[in-house]
Amino acid sequence: MRVHHRTILAQVAALALGIAAGGQAAAQQNRMGLTPDQMQDINRTIIKTEAMEDAWETAGLKGLKISGYMDPTYIYDQNANRAGFQFLSSEFSGYSDTPFFGNATITFTKETDDGTTYNLQLQPLNGDHTITAALVSIPLSDRQTRLIAGKVLDWSGYEYADPVKSALITHNLLFDFTLPVAYTGAGLDISTGSWQLRTMLANVDSARAPEGKTAPAWVYRFDYWPEEFWGVGFAGVVGKADNWNKTVDADGEVADKSTAVLFEVDGYYNRGNWTFGGQLSYGTQKDAANDGVSDAKWAGASTTVGYFFTPRLQFLVRGDYINNEKNGGGLFTYTAFDDGAGVRADGVNGLGMDAKASADCDAGEECKGANRYAVSLGLKYALNPNAWLKFEYRYDGADQDVFYDVKNEEYKKNNNLVGAALVVFF
């Protein structure tokens, strides 16, 4: 009988010790036959863990996630007679020189206990830190209905600006020439089940409204994904945007804007080894055509198909087309200017009118801009879960001589580009 009482007393003492040092978990460990020294180690671990959690929360690090990427890129551009590496460059000279590849980005995301999220994305360009996104999202009636405010990258189309999420090195023609870069404003993000609606009143590609402009643009996107492997969405913009046919100030900045209306529908299908993405776009901007007086109008399509030969190796093909012949051409916030030799074209990107079309336009005849297309072939290989190698061959063409060959000093109808990139992310 004494043995039984001592056993009970020992169990009670062990339970009290466990509760004092860290609760029921330690007591449970003692019942598993741990020695007093092992119990002390467990108790110290519990105390240290709790202290670390308290310090982490006090420092504001609870709910914080840091992510980022780098993608040093090699580009060969035939018409530019240029081959070399591109990394952390803010110079713009066509689709092969954009901040959407050959860059480094770090993103800070924090979520508080009440569900409020903060997102800050930084991109260094030539040593200057550029804030590419800074958005706060606050839950209202529930966490599926949110107030959003700040700066966010454009959410149109099926391709992402982020090279980690995009399949190829370059982006499609619609991404480069028919869509905004970012919105700065406030709105709502509403989601439930398999659909989501985002809408804002915002400045388009501008951190602040210029003097004399009081009406923000309306931007929106709706997504629907009834099953995990496919979905559709549509997005649009209605509002003022830069118009290079308008007044330009002494610093070369656009001093006036005009109304633009953009609409696009896109979708994806990813199942098994196959991936598909596609987009149809339509847009117009008042008084922004290359003839200098008319409205710019365009319509385009893009699609990308991918196939995984192995879990690590994916083959990709993309095709793009933009009909841009109306009123001499002209795209979103984009106008081609006379090169001084009678050609009204952007010889790097292959947009605008060749010599004959420019002469016809100047003579009062129909102004007809060049229609554009592009085809890309690519490979994406996973070196490990956080590093990819990308390769791309791209052929750009037009139905007019609007690409300038700097080596031969002449305009022609096409250009060739080869690229390679190492994308590392965490």
Side-chain angles (χ1 to χ4, degrees):
M1 198 66 177
R2 289 179 181 176
V3 175
H4 178 67
H5 281 248
R6 288 176 181 173
T7 302
I8 294 175
L9 290 174
Q11 291 176 345
V12 171
L15 179 62
L17 178 63
I19 293 174
Q24 296 179 356
Q28 178 65 28
Q29 295 292 338
N30 191 52
R31 285 196 291 269
M32 294 174 64
L34 298 178
T35 66
D37 289 342
Q38 290 173 326
M39 284 292 299
Q40 290 179 2
D41 290 340
I42 291 176
N43 295 336
R44 282 194 294 266
T45 300
I46 293 173
I47 294 172
K48 288 181 180 180
T49 300
E50 291 176 346
M52 290 174 61
E53 290 177 349
D54 292 340
W56 190 263
E57 184 171 359
T58 302
L61 299 177
K62 181 181 179 181
L64 178 66
K65 178 183 177 181
I66 302 175
S67 59
Y69 67 81
M70 293 185 182
D71 64 327
T73 303
Y74 178 89
I75 293 290
Y76 163 75
D77 188 327
Q78 182 185 44
N79 283 350
N81 193 29
R82 178 170 59 88
F85 287 93
Q86 175 179 318
F87 190 55
L88 301 181
S89 173
S90 61
E91 299 178 5
F92 289 81
S93 61
Y95 60 80
S96 61
D97 289 286
T98 76
F100 298 117
F101 59 84
N103 212 326
T105 295
I106 188 166
T107 301
F108 302 88
T109 303
K110 178 178 172 64
E111 182 174 2
T112 61
D113 291 336
D114 64 0
T116 299
T117 60
Y118 306 83
N119 179 272
L120 177 66
Q121 185 179 88
L122 304 177
Q123 278 190 350
L125 298 174
N126 282 347
D128 297 327
H129 289 280
T130 302
I131 299 176
T132 55
L135 188 73
V136 60
S137 174
I138 304 172
L140 298 177
S141 59
D142 53 49
R143 297 200 179 195
Q144 283 69 50
T145 303
R146 293 176 168 270
L147 171 67
I148 55 176
K151 178 181 179 181
V152 59
L153 289 174
D154 171 57
W155 49 47
S156 305
Y158 74 99
E159 283 192 344
Y160 293 89
D162 187 338
V164 178
K165 298 178 181 179
S166 60
L168 294 161
I169 299 173
T170 67
H171 290 85
N172 68 71
L173 292 175
L174 305 183
F175 180 99
D176 284 334
F177 302 117
T178 72
L179 299 175
V181 175
Y183 313 124
T184 302
L188 293 173
D189 183 342
I190 305 171
S191 61
T192 179
S194 59
W195 64 267
Q196 179 183 24
L197 172 65
R198 287 168 284 175
T199 183
M200 298 177 72
L201 292 178
N203 304 331
V204 176
D205 295 340
S206 176
R208 67 172 185 172
E211 294 181 4
K213 301 300 177 185
T214 58
W218 174 43
V219 301
Y220 60 89
R221 179 171 179 89
F222 177 84
D223 285 285
Y224 175 64
W225 57 96
E227 298 181 84
E228 63 179 3
F229 55 87
W230 74 272
V232 295
F234 62 84
V237 177
V238 180
K240 302 287 186 178
D242 288 346
N243 183 351
W244 288 91
N245 278 335
K246 299 293 184 178
T247 305
V248 179
D249 63 23
D251 296 325
E253 299 294 329
V254 177
D256 206 349
K257 297 176 181 287
S258 66
T259 301
V261 178
L262 314 179
F263 180 81
E264 65 86 20
V265 59
D266 57 77
Y268 68 88
Y269 179 93
N270 302 322
R271 197 165 193 178
N273 293 331
W274 291 97
T275 64
F276 299 88
Q279 176 182 349
L280 298 173
S281 292
Y282 170 81
T284 181
Q285 185 171 359
K286 186 174 178 58
D287 302 331
N290 290 335
D291 65 6
V293 295
S294 303
D295 297 348
K297 296 181 180 181
W298 62 90
S302 175
T303 186
T304 300
V305 179
Y307 182 79
F308 282 95
F309 288 112
T310 72
R312 288 190 171 192
L313 180 63
Q314 185 183 25
F315 171 76
L316 297 143
V317 58
R318 182 180 66 206
D320 312 322
Y321 177 78
I322 298 180
N323 184 300
N324 193 217
E325 63 183 23
K326 189 72 173 178
N327 301 325
L331 298 169
F332 179 66
T333 68
Y334 181 89
T335 302
F337 297 98
D338 194 325
D339 67 349
V343 178
R344 201 174 299 178
D346 173 354
V348 176
N349 293 305
L351 301 170
M353 297 178 282
D354 63 12
K356 181 181 183 305
S358 297
D360 291 341
C361 188
D362 293 336
E365 300 181 23
E366 180 184 7
C367 295
K368 187 175 181 180
N371 296 319
R372 280 279 275 111
Y373 61 91
V375 177
S376 289
L377 303 177
L379 290 173
K380 186 170 70 172
Y381 179 76
L383 294 172
N384 59 53
N386 295 95
W388 294 338
L389 278 175
K390 291 184 179 182
F391 302 93
E392 180 180 351
Y393 164 71
R394 173 167 171 158
Y395 177 87
D396 281 86
D399 60 2
Q400 296 185 27
D401 294 318
V402 287
F403 289 95
Y404 187 70
D405 185 337
V406 299
K407 187 174 183 179
N408 297 312
E409 298 183 349
E410 63 181 7
Y411 284 92
K412 59 184 188 179
K413 289 184 171 67
N414 55 65
N415 187 29
N416 290 281
L417 178 142
V418 177
L422 172 63
V423 182
V424 181
F425 54 95
F426 64 93

